[in-house]
Amino acid sequence: MSSQTLILLLVVVLSNLNSISCLEFVFNTNFNSTNIHTYGNATIENSIVSITNQTVFTIGRALYPSKITTKQTNSTNPLPFSTSFIFSISTYKNLLPGHGLAFAFFPFDGIVGASSSGYLGLFNLSNDDDNKFKELKLKNGVNYQAWIDYEDSRINVTMAKAGETRPIRPLISEFLDLSGVLLDEMYVGFTGATGQLVVSQKILSWSFSNSNCSIGDALVTANLPSFVIPKESVFRSKGFVIGVSVGAVLIVVCGVVIWDVLVRKKREKREGKEEIEDWELQYWPHRISYQEVYAATMGFSEENVIGFGANGKVYKGVLLGVEVAVKRISVESEHGMSEFLAEVSSLGRLKHKNLVGLRGWSKKEKENLILIYDYMENGSLDKRIFDCDESLTLSWEEMIKVLKGVASGILYLHEGWESKVLHRDIKASNVLLDKDLNARLGDFGLARMHHHEELATTTQVIGTPGYMAPEVVRTGRASTQTDVFSFGVLVLEMVCGRRPIEDGKPNLLDWLCMLIERGDLLSALDDRIKAKGCYSDEEVERVVNLGILCACPDANVRPTMRQVLKVLEGTGLEEEILNVNLLERIETALNLSACYESNIEALVIYEVRKIMEVSERKFFLGGSMV
């Protein structure tokens, strides 16, 4: 139900009259047609002026019969005035209340040019200005007394319930210079209007004087008629009946809900104890409740999907105020459980700045296995190479920074932890970039670990085509050198901006071989990196050489990740990489290999010769001196 408004407003228009006289009148519930003139829908009922009734879209106006002097003779200074009136605003049953009434000065009588509804029979659309109004909530039918005093360009408006002492502090006190806008003589009185919203607005008493500031004290405030709508019996009201009915329903519903919650909690507590398995204590017991994960991802909303894995979707979420990535693995997928256990058993215990942090895990019986990771703002390296605007393409310096980070993470897996960890699926889509473009190696679903002195026992051919070393394809046996091979392919992929295998094109190594045969190796550099500049031809050759060496068909020829990182960090090539015997080892290995054609052999031998030719020189790599 809308608020009822009392609007106290002075309306003035320019004019030029010269007469002056003192005026004073008091009407104490004794209005009649001689001392007050009514217009529009206004009426006089039982010596009380009724401005509006329940008729919609009407205007009511009640004015003193004659104009009053508002300015001093031969002066622009307005006369002071004091007025007080007792009014009542009440609602009608089953009707919405609205609008209000106004005390005003008028240049003419009648209601010509005024509009109903919110314009109060005072204005129309041409002079609409909400900033002129001061609103009070007065819709309860109680009798209120208002005092308005104007003197020395200051207007004070005070209000209280009828019969109470006039407050010392005015409700409104503003400077208002009327000298430039008042006519010499004007009508004074009240106006109001109804629209679709209606109220009953009545004036019970009224006093006015332009010389006596205490004229309001002459109004009689005792034994006035009351227009407060009598309240119905609470027990018979519709609200009471509805309230009781709704309350009863709510009590029943709440009882059912509480019972259901208690039963669920008891069952979940019992099931929770049953769900704790041996592997949870053996590997990493950092479980996060399914309810927390569900809330963090907004119920696994499709709007929060940021990627797709081999066995499920990846969602963005907020857990305890921190952004996280949530991988949801289906238990129905072929490798879902093995991927889940591999991640928890390996990544859950590994801590390195270049590995994606696993914050915890969760699962829901017969539905999903869930892994929660640190959120990487810049997404996967694969998208940054192949699926982004040219302006977001990595520069040469950024590319070297990423390669250093990936190499550092792999070195930690191979040598830096208590067990040797084989990632077995190093590729661009498994490298993530944080907000500062620091590389984080992730997706340990295929990872295996064993003691440093042991060899891997797995013989299953597993990995991503194009990144798998030849010996994995032949025997299924993985080693640290198979990870080095995958890293070499990643190096060449980043430099060239080409995937290892693309439909309708030669594979990446064959293509590089053809460029070397033509003596045009530098054209292999991604055109987008070329456009950014800040590299040298020698740098490009060094990095391509390193990638080809890592991707050598013979695992014995490939460098270790420690040697690779030394090259990338510019601390110098290990002697064993540049040893003269290295060329002979590569030639022998390639002559015995049946997995690569002669052009690939020539490519690897050529690149190693290039490395050896410059072994005595200094060169720049990624902004560092080697």
Side-chain angles (χ1 to χ4, degrees), residues 27-254:
F27 301 129
N28 275 310
T29 319
N30 59 344
F31 292 109
N32 55 53
S33 58
T34 59
N35 58 26
I36 200 82
H37 287 181
T38 58
Y39 304 90
N41 207 41
T43 59
I44 299 175
E45 301 173 356
N46 298 322
S47 300
I48 295 174
V49 176
S50 179
I51 303 296
T52 59
N53 54 32
Q54 59 184 339
T55 306
V56 298
F57 295 104
T58 59
I59 298 171
R61 186 173 290 179
L63 304 179
Y64 187 70
S66 59
K67 288 185 176 182
I68 65 173
T69 303
T70 59
K71 285 186 178 180
Q72 300 175 7
T73 304
N74 299 324
S75 174
T76 60
N77 295 328
L79 289 172
F81 68 86
S82 295
T83 186
S84 181
F85 54 92
I86 297 175
F87 65 95
S88 174
I89 301 175
S90 58
T91 60
Y92 290 100
K93 186 177 180 180
N94 300 325
L95 293 177
L96 295 176
H99 313 308
L101 62 86
F103 170 80
F105 287 90
F106 301 88
F108 49 81
D109 55 6
I111 58 174
V112 177
S115 298
S116 61
S117 299
Y119 297 106
L120 307 181
L122 183 62
F123 296 121
N124 54 38
L125 185 61
S126 65
N127 45 27
D128 189 359
D129 187 352
D130 289 342
N131 292 329
K132 299 293 185 181
F133 296 87
K134 297 291 183 178
E135 298 186 355
L136 299 172
K137 297 179 181 180
L138 305 164
K139 63 178 182 180
N140 51 11
V142 174
N143 296 330
Y144 290 93
Q145 182 172 2
W147 295 264
I148 304 174
D149 300 290
Y150 181 79
E151 187 174 8
D152 296 331
S153 299
R154 176 166 293 277
I155 186 169
N156 293 320
V157 179
T158 311
M159 196 186 74
K161 286 186 178 181
E164 293 183 356
T165 303
R166 177 177 179 173
I168 298 176
R169 183 177 180 180
L171 182 66
I172 301 172
S173 181
E174 296 289 341
F175 179 81
L176 185 64
D177 185 6
L178 302 179
S179 60
V181 292
L182 274 176
L183 298 174
D184 289 342
E185 291 184 342
M186 302 190 75
Y187 288 98
V188 65
F190 304 90
T191 183
T194 63
Q196 192 64 46
L197 309 176
V198 297
V199 286
S200 171
Q201 301 174 122
K202 301 181 184 297
I203 304 298
L204 287 70
S205 305
W206 180 25
S207 64
F208 184 93
S209 175
N210 55 16
S211 59
N212 181 7
C213 62
S214 300
I215 191 68
D217 297 339
L219 295 184
V220 177
T221 59
N223 300 318
L224 294 175
S226 175
F227 302 96
V228 177
I229 298 176
K231 295 182 179 179
E232 294 181 352
S233 172
V234 174
F235 300 103
R236 295 182 180 180
S237 65
K238 291 183 179 179
F240 177 78
V241 175
I242 294 174
V244 171
S245 302
V246 172
V249 173
L250 288 177
I251 290 174
V252 174
V253 171
C254 289

Side-chain angles (χ1 to χ4, degrees), residues 467-573:
Y467 293 90
M468 291 188 293
E471 65 269 24
V472 174
V473 177
R474 290 196 306 269
T475 67
R477 190 178 298 279
S479 67
T480 56
Q481 294 307 301
T482 59
D483 280 351
V484 173
F485 182 93
S486 300
F487 178 78
V489 175
L490 176 65
V491 171
L492 300 176
E493 186 177 19
M494 291 187 67
V495 173
C496 303
R498 284 188 52 170
R499 298 186 187 277
I501 300 174
E502 295 184 357
D503 292 338
K505 296 181 181 180
N507 68 53
L508 185 55
L509 286 174
D510 287 344
W511 178 65
L512 286 171
C513 177
M514 289 185 289
L515 294 180
I516 291 175
E517 289 176 349
R518 297 202 306 260
D520 192 22
L521 181 60
L522 293 177
S523 65
L525 182 61
D526 190 342
D527 290 336
R528 296 170 297 175
I529 297 179
K530 287 180 181 178
K532 290 180 178 287
C534 298
Y535 67 91
S536 68
D537 294 348
E538 191 175 30
E539 287 180 278
V540 175
E541 290 183 0
R542 300 291 84 75
V543 176
V544 173
N545 291 341
L546 178 62
I548 292 175
L549 185 60
C550 290
C552 178
D554 186 356
N556 296 320
V557 175
R558 298 172 202 149
T560 64
M561 286 309 303
R562 182 174 295 278
Q563 293 169 335
V564 169
L565 188 59
K566 284 178 180 270
V567 173
L568 290 173
E569 289 180 341
T571 58
L573 293 173

Side-chain angles (χ1 to χ4, degrees), residues 560-612:
T560 64
M561 286 309 303
R562 182 174 295 278
Q563 293 169 335
V564 169
L565 188 59
K566 284 178 180 270
V567 173
L568 290 173
E569 289 180 341
T571 58
L573 293 173
E574 293 283 333
E575 290 185 1
E576 54 265 36
I577 297 181
L578 299 176
N579 193 286
V580 176
N581 293 331
L582 178 61
L583 179 58
E584 297 176 0
R585 290 163 56 200
I586 294 177
E587 290 173 339
T588 301
L590 290 177
N591 287 334
L592 296 175
S593 176
C595 297
Y596 280 73
E597 298 179 359
S598 59
N599 59 344
I600 302 300
E601 299 172 5
L603 170 64
V604 176
I605 296 172
Y606 173 83
E607 291 303 326
V608 174
R609 287 185 187 276
K610 292 269 293 182
I611 294 176
M612 295 167 59

Side-chain angles (χ1 to χ4, degrees), residues 328-345:
R328 197 179 188 190
I329 303 173
S330 174
V331 296
E332 298 178 356
S333 62
E334 182 179 357
H335 303 292
M337 179 58 78
S338 61
E339 176 185 346
F340 176 79
L341 291 177
E343 293 261 6
V344 172
S345 63

Side-chain angles (χ1 to χ4, degrees), residues 311-539:
N311 297 306
K313 297 178 181 179
V314 181
Y315 301 81
K316 180 181 178 181
V318 178
L319 188 65
L320 299 177
V322 179
E323 290 184 323
V324 294
V326 178
K327 180 190 288 187
R328 197 179 188 190
I329 303 173
S330 174
V331 296
E332 298 178 356
S333 62
E334 182 179 357
H335 303 292
M337 179 58 78
S338 61
E339 176 185 346
F340 176 79
L341 291 177
E343 293 261 6
V344 172
S345 63
S346 58
L347 189 56
R349 294 182 289 170
L350 298 171
K351 301 297 179 184
H352 190 269
K353 65 179 182 179
N354 294 114
L355 300 182
V356 174
L358 181 63
R359 288 181 168 268
W361 62 272
S362 181
K363 75 172 187 174
K364 189 173 184 181
E365 186 67 24
K366 299 180 181 180
E367 288 193 23
N368 298 109
L369 304 169
I370 298 169
L371 297 169
I372 300 96
Y373 306 90
D374 291 335
Y375 177 69
M376 298 289 106
E377 291 82 352
N378 280 303
S380 72
L381 177 60
D382 183 84
K383 289 185 178 179
R384 206 60 185 258
I385 299 174
F386 302 109
D387 187 21
C388 72
D389 294 335
E390 187 170 342
S391 61
L392 297 177
T393 303
L394 296 177
S395 65
W396 180 264
E397 293 83 355
E398 291 170 336
M399 184 192 74
I400 296 299
K401 177 182 177 181
V402 169
L403 289 175
K404 288 180 183 178
V406 177
S408 178
I410 299 173
L411 177 60
Y412 171 77
L413 298 178
H414 290 178
E415 302 180 16
W417 195 52
E418 62 186 41
S419 297
K420 182 186 297 182
V421 181
L422 306 180
H423 189 280
R424 304 204 302 171
D425 198 20
I426 297 169
K427 57 184 178 180
S429 59
N430 287 341
V431 176
L432 302 177
L433 304 175
D434 66 13
K435 62 181 180 179
D436 298 318
L437 292 179
N438 295 308
R440 305 282 190 93
L441 185 60
D443 200 338
F444 283 67
L446 302 181
R448 292 294 182 269
M449 63 176 65
H450 53 82
H451 295 299
H452 287 284
E453 64 275 7
E454 294 179 355
L455 296 176
T457 57
T458 178
T459 58
Q460 183 180 8
V461 178
I462 194 166
T464 302
Y467 293 90
M468 291 188 293
E471 65 269 24
V472 174
V473 177
R474 290 196 306 269
T475 67
R477 190 178 298 279
S479 67
T480 56
Q481 294 307 301
T482 59
D483 280 351
V484 173
F485 182 93
S486 300
F487 178 78
V489 175
L490 176 65
V491 171
L492 300 176
E493 186 177 19
M494 291 187 67
V495 173
C496 303
R498 284 188 52 170
R499 298 186 187 277
I501 300 174
E502 295 184 357
D503 292 338
K505 296 181 181 180
N507 68 53
L508 185 55
L509 286 174
D510 287 344
W511 178 65
L512 286 171
C513 177
M514 289 185 289
L515 294 180
I516 291 175
E517 289 176 349
R518 297 202 306 260
D520 192 22
L521 181 60
L522 293 177
S523 65
L525 182 61
D526 190 342
D527 290 336
R528 296 170 297 175
I529 297 179
K530 287 180 181 178
K532 290 180 178 287
C534 298
Y535 67 91
S536 68
D537 294 348
E538 191 175 30
E539 287 180 278

